[in-house]
Amino acid sequence: MSRSSSSPSPLSPPREPAPALMSGAGLLAARGEQAHRRLGPLSRRLWALWRQVQGYLFLLPALLIFALFVWYPVVLGFVMSFQSVDLINPATWVGWTNYRHVLADPLFAIAWRNTLAFTGYALLFGYVVPLVLALAINEMRHGKSYFRLAFYLPVMLPPIVTVFLWRWMYDPDAGLLNALLSLVHLPGRLWLEDPQTALPALVVVATWSAAGSTMLVYLAALQGVPASLYEAAEIDGAGFWHRLWHVTLPCIRPIMLLMLVLQIIATMQVFIEPFTITGGGPQHATLSVLLLIYTYAFQNADFGEASALSVMLFLVLAAFALVYMRMTSRLLQGD
């Protein structure tokens, strides 16, 4: 039986959709394209300029909010670092005096030493622990969801709840840690009152409260490792450690480097733990740079010196931020 002349041949190209079946956006785009073809060269340039202006008009509200709440405070901080500001008397220009006073303050070196020590401890514990947790959970056959939720729960706790919880754990009389030590007949310690243990104790709090989010980032990176690489390694007889060293870590190394830079930037801005748990003590053993800025501004009412120290910290963090942006750019180019 012969085919009807109106039926399409299997070898004929697919028909374009009828105008009535096209979507509204498709029709508008098609008509805009036809109108653009009918324009002259000058009109096309004006049309392209108008399209760019439209884009900037859409961005204008966000740019205004960003300029008001981010760029203006940054510029004002730079200006105030060269002024004597106490919010009562009019600001006066003092040049580099604030910077000289900050550099001559004995607490300046102590605050930077503590901040760098906190960053080092945080990299030692806070960088390795989430990675180990992610590798362990990724190797599990059952219960992955349960452990992901269990390790992420501390991130969902409000910071003040975390502070009260760990102040109870570190309590020398009724705390959990000393109670556990007494079970094995070991003497208790003054965790937060001893200058030798106060800073590492704060690092444990910060690591416990933030490790869950970092672990999820590593788990997401591990999901992107091609399974064919593991299968090829298993065929070659590679064990767990060989697969970890030669397959897993090289594949997630870009994410590890990014997290390293981000963690350095975050830990150098430590404030909540020393402010709420130790207040910078004992004997300034937990005084951080941000806590010293707070002391200048809200206890000494010297906003000029607080701004000068803020500018110093900003320049240090800006160097790490440039490294982060450069690494991000390389990753995007690699994609």
Side-chain angles (χ1 to χ4, degrees), residues 195-234:
Q196 301 297 324
T197 59
L199 191 63
L202 297 187
V203 173
V204 172
V205 178
T207 302
W208 182 84
S209 60
S213 56
T214 310
M215 179 199 68
L216 289 185
V217 173
Y218 287 133
L219 274 175
L222 290 172
Q223 300 304 313
V225 179
S228 58
L229 297 180
Y230 289 119
E231 293 171 358
E234 289 179 355

Side-chain angles (χ1 to χ4, degrees), residues 288-311:
S288 66
V289 174
L290 276 188
L291 190 55
L292 185 58
I293 293 173
Y294 175 86
T295 303
Y296 285 153
F298 299 104
Q299 292 186 5
N300 302 344
D302 194 336
F303 291 88
E305 292 186 2
S307 300
L309 184 55
S310 301
V311 170

Side-chain angles (χ1 to χ4, degrees), residues 67-124:
L68 180 62
F69 293 103
V70 177
W71 294 335
Y72 174 70
V74 171
V75 175
L76 185 61
F78 273 99
V79 175
M80 289 175 61
S81 67
F82 296 99
Q83 292 178 330
S84 176
V85 183
D86 57 8
L87 300 184
I88 297 177
N89 300 309
T92 57
W93 192 263
V94 296
W96 295 95
T97 303
N98 290 327
Y99 289 91
R100 285 196 292 269
H101 287 174
V102 170
L103 292 174
D105 189 350
L107 296 179
F108 175 80
I110 295 174
W112 275 103
R113 185 184 62 207
N114 292 337
T115 301
L116 294 177
F118 185 92
T119 304
Y121 284 131
L123 292 180
L124 184 63

